[in-house]
Amino acid sequence: MAEPVVRIPDAKVALSTASVYPESTATAFEIAARLGYDGVEVMVWTDPVSQDVEALRRLSDYHGVPVLAVHAPCLLITQRVWSTDPWVKLQRARAAAEKLGASTVVVHPPFRWQRQYARDFVTGIWRMADETDVRFAVENMYPWRYRDREMLAYAPDWDVTKYDYRHFTVDLSHTATARTDAMAMIGRMGDRLGHVHLADGNGSAKDEHLVPGRGTQPCAELLTGLAGSGFDGHVVIEVNTRRAMSAAEREADLAEALAFARLHLASPSTSPSSPAPSSSPTPSSSPAPSAPSSAKRSGPSSARSSRTGSRGMRPS
């Protein structure tokens, strides 16, 4: 039998429930089902449904849309959701993921003023990861900027590759806002890249979360690399549709983002007669010289700068 011309990887494409804001969590399930997403990532925030595991299970069953990931309540506006104790938040996120069959909990680094939490964060995440099959994928953030000033808002660092975590989430809107080299960061993550927040940005001080392809980030390059790397995580569309003038416009943006992801995750098959073209290093093939190996739990490096997601002000 002839080898197929195009290889489709196992990575699933999910819709973040934050992508429909200010619409509800329930609306996200409905849209994900209608557009053909493989599942959803639940952003746990002030919407009561997002905090209710049984309500989420009913939505998942009704729409036939699995919950693939749970985003722990790490934003400024969710400081009191599921407790004021950040470790309790992560325990509840893990329990929710286990009950819903989700494989991943997404977590941000601590805010700098959460001093005890920040001090114990790296070892604490390892400890929690050892207690479950659910992945704790720590997400890259960015410095807060105001005019020509930069505020270090996260500890131990906004660049999560400086520390030893078992799994990472890369967010391409955050790499844009940090004005960092996204592919270099992905290379440092190496095979510990377990989760992707797919969005775009133009390097603004504001966390833009544009539809992929509308900014300057290497969204297509990342997806093409994942397609050939054996990536077994999820690609989550996490875009900002707050300015959509209608439900139809919001849905069109989310359909475009899904089409972009599916197109670039489709990798040409290789054969002896048609070798694969050379390209930039993929997450699995790029070495991570400055990040400790997941096989070794080396202690934290020295803390440097820090950053935030969407300034923590909205679920984006």
Side-chain angles (χ1 to χ4, degrees):
M1 181 180 294
E3 184 179 353
V5 176
V6 174
R7 179 176 64 252
I8 306 299
D10 293 333
K12 291 181 170 60
V13 182
L15 177 66
S16 169
T17 59
S19 295
V20 307
Y21 182 85
E23 298 294 337
S24 67
T25 301
T27 299
F29 277 87
E30 179 183 342
I31 292 174
R34 188 159 52 244
L35 295 181
Y37 279 84
D38 297 318
V40 299
E41 174 178 301
V42 173
M43 170 68 80
V44 180
W45 68 297
T46 55
D47 180 351
V49 171
S50 74
Q51 305 170 31
D52 187 332
V53 173
E54 290 308 314
L56 293 169
R57 192 198 307 277
R58 289 193 295 271
L59 283 169
S60 178
D61 291 344
Y62 179 79
H63 292 288
V65 174
V67 177
L68 301 180
V70 174
H71 195 308
C74 307
L75 309 179
L76 285 175
I77 62 170
T78 61
Q79 292 298 288
R80 305 189 71 83
V81 172
W82 277 0
S83 173
T84 56
D85 183 332
W87 291 115
V88 172
K89 292 173 182 283
L90 295 191
Q91 290 164 1
R92 293 192 63 172
R94 179 188 65 195
E98 290 171 342
K99 290 177 182 177
L100 293 167
S103 64
T104 303
V105 167
V106 179
V107 57
H108 293 180
F111 290 113
R112 220 167 174 78
W113 53 85
Q114 295 175 302
R115 294 180 181 176
Q116 184 60 48
Y117 179 44
R119 188 177 302 118
D120 300 334
F121 184 69
V122 178
T123 55
I125 289 294
W126 269 106
R127 183 180 63 251
M128 294 193 72
D130 283 339
E131 295 170 351
T132 180
D133 291 331
V134 174
R135 293 178 173 181
F136 281 87
V138 185
E139 184 174 1
N140 63 297
M141 301 307 293
Y142 57 84
W144 289 359
R145 293 189 178 92
Y146 179 71
R147 296 180 179 173
D148 59 345
R149 295 185 178 182
E150 188 172 290
M151 175 183 174
L152 307 182
Y154 282 94
D157 206 288
W158 65 263
D159 181 353
V160 293
T161 65
K162 294 179 180 178
Y163 289 83
D164 182 23
Y165 301 110
R166 182 174 291 174
H167 292 105
F168 295 109
T169 296
V170 68
D171 185 307
L172 291 186
S173 178
H174 295 177
T175 58
T177 307
R179 300 168 189 166
T180 193
D181 184 327
M183 294 308 293
M185 175 175 282
I186 291 162
R188 293 193 299 275
M189 291 178 175
D191 60 8
R192 291 182 292 167
L193 175 60
H195 200 68
V196 173
H197 280 170
L198 187 63
D200 216 330
N202 287 310
S204 166
K206 181 181 179 181
D207 187 16
E208 296 172 286
H209 282 273
L210 303 177
V211 170
R214 297 184 186 177
T216 61
Q217 294 304 286
C219 299
E221 186 178 358
L222 166 60
L223 294 173
T224 301
L226 294 179
S229 72
F231 177 71
D232 63 353
H234 304 312
V235 175
V236 178
I237 302 298
E238 192 184 66
V239 297
N240 183 347
T241 63
R242 290 196 289 271
R243 294 186 179 179
M245 300 301 292
S246 65
E249 183 178 333
R250 171 174 291 108
E251 204 158 313
D253 283 346
L254 297 177
E256 179 183 332
L258 175 60
F260 183 100
R262 295 232 190 270
L263 172 65
H264 293 288
L265 278 171
S267 171
S269 295
T270 61
S271 65
S273 59
S274 58
S278 60
S279 62
S280 299
T282 67
S284 65
S285 62
S286 301
S290 61
S293 165
S294 59
K296 296 181 179 180
R297 300 188 199 175
S298 56
S301 313
S302 59
R304 301 178 191 174
S305 57
S306 60
R307 79 195 228 190
T308 89
S310 140
R311 284 218 173 187
M313 297 305 294
R314 290 290 185 271
S316 58

